Amino acid sequence: MRTGERATRGRLAALDVARGLMLVVSVTVNAWYAAPTWFAHAPWLGVHPVDLVFPAFVTLSGAGLGILYARGVRPLREARRVVVLLAAGLAYSAMAQYLVSGAVDVATLRLTGVLQLYAVVVCVVALVSTVATSWWRWLVAAGVLAVTQMWLLLGSAARCPAGLTPECNPSRDLDLVWLGVHAYAGGRLGHDPEGLVAILGALVSAMVGAAAGRLLRDRRDTAHFLWGGTIILAACLVMTAVTSAVVPAFKRLWTAPFALGVAAAVVLILLALYLLLDTREVGRVESAGRFPLIALGRNSLLVYFGSHVVMEALVLRGPHGSARGDAPSWADLGAAALADAVGMPGSPWPFCVAAVVAWTLLAALLHRCGVYVKA
């Protein structure tokens, strides 16, 4: 946790607002725990709305890291950051296991997860930043990783009669071999969505974000920014078209076309917000209404992962300590009470709105006090 770190001159409002918008969506998605099947994570091929949230977070994190590491990498600080994220990820896995079974079994504890994946992304981006000293170098790095993952997926698909399936894919060959029962769902689903194969895709997302972040940091004028932004977006779209011709876009393996497509959309939003919020030549938007989004964006790590932890506890446990499925959970009871209180019985939206308001108020309070939770 860092204190006294108030907004500094030169800090980009666009990045904080983009993070804030992503967090509003993320918290809403988490609170809508009983969402319909078409909205929940796609079981394998295809892309559902929820599949877009974490990649958006990783892309925006890449933008922030691209800006941060332009000032140089401090090895001890980054090593500490990675260790904290890995430890927090394992603690989250232990909590989830305890909430479901009432005990923590180290022999079957899941070793991978979103925090662990994010830790690897931070580590690799820090290393690459020592040679990626301009935005176009980050873009080249993203392209190299996209081609590498595509080659890996193609090699696996070539020996799979039905193409990439849960029964035949590189994650099954790589992740499940070294993880075993410590993999996602104990390895029963034939892949790990935060394993080595998916990490390659996440790195593509992060490095496209880093390219955008470095462009914003090194911007000389609006013309330079527009030219660089056009190149980044065009390169992403071309690479998306090329990779999607041979590899399907889906989140379960975080394939290259999926990573590039989501990253392009996120970067487009980020660049548009920069024009609106940070460039006086285009028409800077001054409004107190953006304060809540900036507050959320400044504490993005706390709100993103904190909302996951809170909802996991509310959904998996009930007032009698039972796992979800045995009795109504705290989330069931709270959602029903809120819906009845506002005259919308059966609707998920009162609970979703309450969650967004609660996390926004917490983030605003911390922002006012200059307190930011960071790894």
Side-chain angles (χ1 to χ4, degrees):
M1 178 182 294
R2 300 177 184 179
T3 61
E5 186 184 337
R6 293 189 182 275
T8 58
R9 181 179 299 177
R11 185 177 179 94
L12 294 174
L15 183 56
D16 289 329
V17 170
R19 287 170 172 163
L21 290 170
M22 181 276 300
L23 289 167
V24 170
V25 174
S26 175
V27 172
T28 302
V29 166
N30 287 338
W32 193 12
Y33 64 91
T37 303
W38 63 266
F39 194 87
H41 290 292
W44 185 247
L45 295 180
V47 179
H48 289 186
V50 174
D51 295 327
L52 306 175
V53 178
F54 188 44
F57 177 84
V58 170
T59 304
L60 290 172
S61 294
L65 293 173
I67 295 172
L68 174 66
Y69 294 151
R71 300 192 293 268
V73 175
R74 294 163 54 187
L76 290 180
R77 180 188 64 183
E78 298 314 313
R80 171 188 169 276
R81 187 199 300 262
V82 169
V83 170
V84 169
L85 286 168
L86 290 174
L90 291 175
Y92 179 83
S93 295
M95 182 203 76
Q97 189 182 65
Y98 177 79
L99 290 173
V100 172
S101 64
V104 176
D105 182 7
V106 177
T108 59
L109 184 67
R110 187 186 178 199
L111 298 181
T112 56
V114 291
L115 280 167
Q116 294 91 317
L117 180 148
Y118 186 57
V120 176
V121 167
V122 169
C123 182
V124 174
V125 170
L127 292 173
V128 174
S129 69
T130 60
V131 294
T133 55
S134 60
W135 63 265
W136 64 266
R137 292 177 187 268
W138 281 111
L139 193 59
V140 170
V144 169
L145 284 172
V147 171
T148 300
Q149 195 212 42
M150 185 174 65
W151 171 80
L152 180 64
L153 293 172
L154 280 176
S156 179
R159 60 177 182 75
C160 298
L164 295 173
T165 65
E167 295 72 34
C168 188
N169 67 82
S171 181
R172 187 181 189 92
D173 299 335
L174 294 175
D175 299 321
L176 301 193
V177 167
W178 72 277
L179 288 170
V181 295
H182 295 287
Y184 173 69
R188 295 185 302 275
L189 299 182
H191 72 287
D192 193 308
E194 282 84 41
L196 295 174
V197 177
I199 285 173
L200 282 175
L203 286 169
V204 173
S205 298
M207 291 186 185
V208 172
R214 192 59 188 263
L215 173 66
L216 294 178
R217 180 192 181 274
D218 297 341
R219 62 199 184 280
R220 294 192 295 268
D221 50 45
T222 302
H224 172 258
F225 157 77
L226 290 174
W227 176 246
T230 300
I231 292 176
I232 292 174
L233 290 173
C236 284
L237 292 176
V238 169
M239 287 191 290
T240 300
V242 171
T243 55
S244 62
V246 291
V247 176
F250 64 109
K251 169 62 173 61
R252 284 297 174 175
L253 295 184
W254 208 315
T255 60
F258 172 78
L260 291 162
V262 175
V266 172
V267 167
L268 178 61
I269 293 172
L270 177 60
L271 299 184
L273 287 172
Y274 169 76
L275 291 175
L276 289 173
L277 302 175
D278 295 292
T279 306
R280 293 190 181 278
E281 294 109 313
V282 176
R284 186 182 175 104
V285 175
E286 299 287 355
S287 172
R290 67 186 184 185
F291 173 82
L293 294 175
I294 290 178
L296 285 168
R298 293 297 303 274
N299 261 308
S300 58
L301 192 65
L302 168 67
V303 176
Y304 184 82
F305 292 110
S307 62
H308 277 77
V309 171
V310 170
M311 282 307 303
E312 190 88 0
L314 291 176
V315 168
L316 292 179
R317 305 300 289 184
H320 304 294
S322 58
R324 180 161 174 77
D326 300 330
S329 70
W330 286 114
D332 291 316
L333 297 174
L338 279 172
D340 289 340
V342 298
M344 298 175 64
S347 172
W349 296 113
F351 192 65
C352 294
V353 171
V356 171
V357 170
W359 282 106
T360 301
L361 289 175
L362 175 61
L365 176 62
L366 294 176
H367 186 46
R368 281 292 188 193
C369 296
V371 177
Y372 305 101
V373 177
K374 300 178 183 292

